[in-house]
Amino acid sequence: MFNWIKLVERNMRRNLRRTILTILTIALATFIYTVLVSVPASMDRVVRDASGTLRLIISNKTAPWEDLPARYCDDINKMPGVAACVAITGWFATWRDVSEPVFGVGAGPEIGDVFPDYALTNQQREATAKEKRTAIIGEILMRKYGWKIGDTVTLRGTDSDHMEMTFVIRGQMASKRYPNTFLMRRDYLMAARKAHGLPDEDIAWNIIVRATSADAMGPLAKQIDEHFANSDAETRTMTESDALSSGLSAIGNIRAIVFALCLVVLLTILLIAANSTVMMVREQISDVAVMRALGFSRGAVAFLLFGECGAIGFLGGIIGAGAALWMFSGGITLGAALGGNGALWVTPAQTLNALIAALAVSIVSGLVPICEAVRLPPALAFRKVV
């Protein structure tokens, strides 16, 4: 048996510049493919994580974009099956310019009871109670903007009022589930709204309730909606996972778009690898003829040529997928796409998926030229060179 690895390595060095450029091009395409396939996977992860919570999201039934009275929590806390209730008011803001968006969440001290997965420490709760400008921030958002605990941050609203608020970062959330959260005191947010001439109303974007058990969630949701059925702002109550799924569907069929882009990337890899393979095989026709004349079977020669295609695809895939895993394994914010929830994570599973795709496409790209080359009789192969 001939030294297959040595021959593959020698053939790859035959035109080293072309080999390197092909590997780097495949690496770039594989990097893009890895990130793209991670988008729907990350969204599924957000929804899947939310399905294990005991939270209910309450919004305005007749106009989901309208607010709810924050005082609804007073009645909800009296209902059986309620562990905690908190009114949430959001604020779309930017840091230094519009390219640095921040989604602020104003909440009361009950937030830690409704979201135990925020993992707020006693020190963070005490700091929030003492200082109205306190902000507790998710890990990814902290890393994205280079913030540190103790920093003073000024945010500016994106609405026409251009409201400004200054915060002191007093803690980072230990939870991996909400890495983009910018948590602030709701009373501070409402006071700033009033100071900037906005309506002096105690309103909430959503009211979030944590049930005492999974069995209590269904009856509790029904009871809440029935209780406020004849109010000025009727409610629609759903589980947290249903609310996130509904929000994702409202921003379009992202999954179909991403998969379409993945197909384009794979076709790009196929065309690049096929072009490189055609030139590689054309240069090696004489070698194929010599090997066939020396008694090598068609299968052995094809194995050698496919090995070179596979090696190029494997190296490009390793570089591209490995770079994506290195850069995004810790997550990056998806910003507006998920309204501050979740992030984009590249996992080893997606990295392996991309590596297999690059390897498979590179091998497939050589099917036609390699099969044509090994079918040539040795003498005819010599004449084609001439």
Side-chain angles (χ1 to χ4, degrees), residues 19-29 316 319:
T19 299
I20 292 174
L21 289 176
T22 303
I23 289 173
L24 292 178
T25 306
I26 292 175
L28 177 60
I319 294 171

Side-chain angles (χ1 to χ4, degrees), residues 37 49 58 72 93 102 120 132 156 167 184 200 205 216 221 257 272 284 315 359 361 364:
V37 297
D49 289 347
I58 305 171
Y72 277 12
V102 176
L120 299 179
K132 68 178 182 179
R156 296 166 183 82
F167 301 92
M184 67 186 80
D200 184 18
W205 280 19
I257 296 173
I272 293 168
Q284 296 184 41
L315 290 173
L359 179 60
V361 170
V364 169

Side-chain angles (χ1 to χ4, degrees), residues 57-63 66-79 82 84-88 110 186 202-209 220 223-237:
I57 310 297
I58 305 171
S59 58
N60 193 307
K61 179 181 179 180
T62 55
E66 294 289 343
D67 301 316
L68 289 172
R71 55 181 169 78
Y72 277 12
C73 261
D74 296 336
D75 291 345
I76 293 173
N77 276 322
K78 299 174 184 177
M79 297 178 182
V82 174
C85 177
V86 67
I88 297 290
E110 310 86 0
R186 187 170 169 276
D202 192 16
I203 50 91
W205 280 19
N206 296 109
I207 292 174
I208 305 179
V209 178
L220 179 57
Q223 184 180 2
I224 291 171
D225 290 341
E226 289 177 348
H227 182 81
F228 299 106
N230 297 317
S231 63
D232 293 336
E234 297 186 1
T235 61
R236 174 183 283 109
T237 305

Side-chain angles (χ1 to χ4, degrees), residues 72-151:
Y72 277 12
C73 261
D74 296 336
D75 291 345
I76 293 173
N77 276 322
K78 299 174 184 177
M79 297 178 182
V82 174
C85 177
V86 67
I88 297 290
T89 302
W91 182 44
F92 290 109
T94 61
W95 183 29
R96 291 175 297 200
D97 54 58
V98 294
S99 66
E100 297 174 328
V102 176
F103 179 66
V105 177
E110 310 86 0
I111 189 70
D113 299 323
V114 176
F115 286 83
D117 37 351
Y118 273 179
L120 299 179
T121 64
N122 290 332
Q123 183 180 7
Q124 290 170 345
R125 293 184 187 225
E126 292 172 0
T128 303
K130 291 178 181 178
E131 172 58 67
K132 68 178 182 179
R133 299 185 303 162
T134 293
I136 309 295
I137 304 176
E139 175 188 359
I140 289 180
L141 195 61
M142 289 272 282
R143 186 171 69 243
K144 178 182 179 181
Y145 294 141
W147 292 336
K148 301 181 296 295
I149 294 176
D151 286 353

Side-chain angles (χ1 to χ4, degrees), residues 184-223:
M184 67 186 80
R185 280 178 48 164
R186 187 170 169 276
D187 56 352
Y188 180 41
L189 175 61
M190 302 312 291
R193 285 170 54 90
K194 180 180 178 181
H196 283 78
L198 296 174
D200 184 18
E201 299 175 325
D202 192 16
I203 50 91
W205 280 19
N206 296 109
I207 292 174
I208 305 179
V209 178
R210 187 166 68 89
T212 54
S213 66
D215 294 336
M217 294 181 70
L220 179 57
K222 182 179 179 181
Q223 184 180 2

